[in-house]
Amino acid sequence: MAQVQVRQNESLDQALRRFKKQIQQSGILKEAREHEHYEKPSDKKRKAAVARRRKAQADLVRTR
């Protein structure tokens, strides 16, 4: 669980920004979004295949 202590003379906005960054880096937000709706295994495989193709294409373009 992510926690942020509000420092002395720190605004709430700055503390909230640090908290959001910590949540994003730990992957909590991504995991929560994945569990929002049920995704069929076949859909997961299709999504993964598309992501692999997209990454391979980007790597190919980058090496040219």
Side-chain angles (χ1 to χ4, degrees):
M1 176 146 243
Q3 287 185 338
V4 172
Q5 295 287 332
V6 179
R7 298 176 185 149
Q8 191 174 8
N9 297 328
E10 181 181 33
S11 71
L12 189 59
D13 289 333
Q14 290 173 334
L16 185 61
R17 194 174 309 125
R18 282 192 305 122
F19 178 72
K20 286 181 179 179
K21 185 176 181 179
Q22 195 175 41
I23 291 288
Q24 189 174 14
Q25 287 177 346
S26 66
I28 294 172
L29 195 59
K30 182 180 178 185
E31 186 177 336
R33 286 193 177 134
E34 287 175 357
H35 286 87
E36 272 184 3
H37 304 286
Y38 177 74
E39 190 173 12
K40 294 186 339 186
S42 60
D43 290 340
K44 283 184 184 181
K45 288 177 188 176
R46 192 175 327 120
K47 251 187 187 178
V50 168
R52 280 193 307 270
R53 270 187 257 135
R54 189 179 306 125
K55 186 176 183 328
Q57 185 68 29
D59 289 343
L60 182 65
V61 169
R62 207 175 290 135
T63 58
R64 286 186 181 178

